[in-house]
Amino acid sequence: LGDVYKRQTTEITLKIRTEVSRMLSVSKVITLSQVKEVFQTSRKNARLIFEYTDRIGFTAKEGAQTERSAGNKLQREQIRGK
């Protein structure tokens, strides 16, 4: 059960990183409602996605609580072309 959970968690976090990166390549700022729509989830879970991406440096708060821009880690990856 542990290996299945670990694999699923890895797949989910990869999907989050990929989708948020794609969204921020199109727009400099993304909103909570956009994340909610893309991941087809609740506002509560969209907020958890923002908390996760903020924590790993992928996003940073931009203006309102519900807006994010590319964080330091994502900016470095975009510069490197990953």
Side-chain angles (χ1 to χ4, degrees):
L1 184 64
D3 289 339
V4 171
Y5 175 77
K6 187 175 180 179
R7 186 174 60 245
Q8 287 177 339
T9 302
T10 302
E11 290 170 3
I12 291 167
T13 56
L14 180 60
K15 180 179 179 180
I16 289 171
R17 292 169 59 116
T18 302
E19 284 300 316
V20 168
S21 177
R22 183 193 60 75
M23 292 170 72
L24 285 167
S25 71
V26 174
S27 176
K28 289 186 179 199
V29 175
I30 58 174
T31 65
L32 190 66
S33 61
Q34 289 172 316
V35 170
K36 180 182 169 198
E37 184 178 317
V38 166
F39 289 97
Q40 298 179 345
T41 192
S42 67
R43 185 173 178 84
K44 178 181 175 181
N45 287 334
R47 188 174 302 270
L48 292 173
I49 290 170
F50 270 170
E51 288 178 13
Y52 167 72
T53 57
D54 286 351
R55 189 173 57 249
I56 65 169
F58 227 59
T59 58
K61 290 180 185 173
E62 180 72 32
Q65 276 295 103
T66 58
E67 297 177 336
R68 295 297 189 276
S69 61
N72 291 333
K73 186 173 184 175
L74 180 57
Q75 288 174 358
R76 285 193 303 269
E77 286 185 11
Q78 288 172 337
I79 290 170
R80 283 190 236 138
K82 285 189 173 185

